[in-house]
Amino acid sequence: MMLRSLLTAGLTATIFSGTSLAAEQGVTETTVSFVQVAALEGPAAALGQGMRQGLMAAFEEANRAGGVHGRTISLEAMDDSYEPNKSIDQVRAAIASDGYLALIGPVGTPTTKATQPIATEAGMPMVAPFTGAGFLRNPQLRNVTNLRATYDAETQAWIDHLVDVEGITDIAILYQDDGFGRVGLSGVKEALDARGMSLVAEGTYTRNTVAVKSALLEIRKAKPQAVVMVGAYKPLAEFVKLAKKMKMDPTFMTISFVGSKAFAAELGADGDGVIVSQVVPQPWDNSLPIVAEYQAALSAFDANAEPGFVSLEGYVAGRLAIAGLNAAGADLTRQGFMDAMNGLGKIDLGGMTLNFGPNDNQGSDDVFLTRIRSDGSFDPISAGS
């Protein structure tokens, strides 16, 4: 068995690149291989890296226990820089190699929008995309298994809190000008429409840039009480910092995709009070068995790693894939794995329960609101507060 080390943006993982037996669709008698195509470089890099870190923690945890049905699990990571065309090339290459059982942990709506049809046509499973886009929840997509709640659920939670709890009426939005941002925009408008309300201002920025000043100047004219934001951590942090320099003081709220840990780090002291919706529990709440197991697995994988929402989601995604491997049995094939993922039903992870059904390929509907503190930590916001 040939061994090599893959070093990407400061993260080191051991990857099996071959075995004594040729892999067929990523499976040999002793190994099973997954591939992640995600942003590992650029303004969204922390998202792909965090998902990979959590996935590796889960897979190495399983490997230390003997693997699944006698097979150790490996993961290869390919960078798409959060660009659809590059993602298409990487996914096509991964499928053509016939060296992987499934795609796992891809990041982003525009990239998965471009690659999901390719994976579906090839019969390639796609597990736990890091996006809440609705098109992936189509139950006819038997190759797609979603973990997280939808963006519509997150934006609904935003408006419930801002309007019903804080009594805010004047809400503006900043969104990334692509499919991801427009999904968020649609969810916000739908939630406001149900209350007979509308946005007071809209601003956009271009993906993989931090060019947000024009949007800020447009939004500022409306003097909003709150600004909801749909985008990645670098441009949104730039927006908040610039707004505070201009003495704007609305309630800022953003989406789980932002990458909370990286977002808080970019904001520094300017992050105090910013609200972020989450789709996994607090990564520091080790009273939950799933979080305690995640913390132990993360530490075993990388003693210097710090818990975070993205890597916890990656860990849960890894556990989800492992559940599918267990259910598929010892005679593992890609089709058998896909069938097993479609028949998982209820998975109790101890503090987080996933429920799948015949017409439901999404495991969790949970949304949690959190507030960033001045020191970069996160406080949970309880319902009604």
Side-chain angles (χ1 to χ4, degrees), residues 240-324:
V240 172
K241 288 188 288 187
L242 283 174
K244 292 196 171 185
K245 282 182 181 178
M246 294 182 180
K247 307 302 181 184
M248 282 181 66
D249 192 29
T251 297
F252 292 103
M253 179 176 276
T254 190
I255 206 156
S256 61
F257 181 87
V258 76
S260 300
K261 187 176 167 184
F263 184 48
E266 288 282 336
L267 283 169
D270 287 327
D272 190 25
V274 175
I275 298 173
V276 186
S277 52
Q278 312 291 352
V279 293
V280 293
Q282 291 276 90
W284 307 277
D285 183 7
N286 57 14
S287 68
L288 301 176
I290 183 62
V291 174
E293 291 161 10
Y294 152 74
Q295 289 179 354
L298 183 66
S299 180
F301 169 62
D302 181 353
N304 296 316
E306 296 180 358
F309 291 98
V310 178
S311 60
L312 174 55
E313 185 169 342
Y315 175 77
V316 176
R319 290 282 296 270
L320 173 60
I322 290 164

Side-chain angles (χ1 to χ4, degrees), residues 74-129:
S74 67
L75 176 70
E76 178 116 22
M78 300 180 178
D79 176 51
D80 67 11
S81 304
Y82 194 35
E83 288 292 350
N85 288 339
K86 189 172 181 180
S87 196
I88 287 171
D89 291 342
Q90 297 283 41
V91 167
R92 282 179 172 160
I95 293 171
S97 75
D98 208 35
Y100 308 104
L101 179 72
L103 293 159
I104 191 166
V107 170
T109 300
T111 46
T112 53
K113 183 74 171 178
T115 58
Q116 170 267 309
I118 298 168
T120 299
E121 183 178 4
M124 183 73 151
M126 180 181 280
V127 181

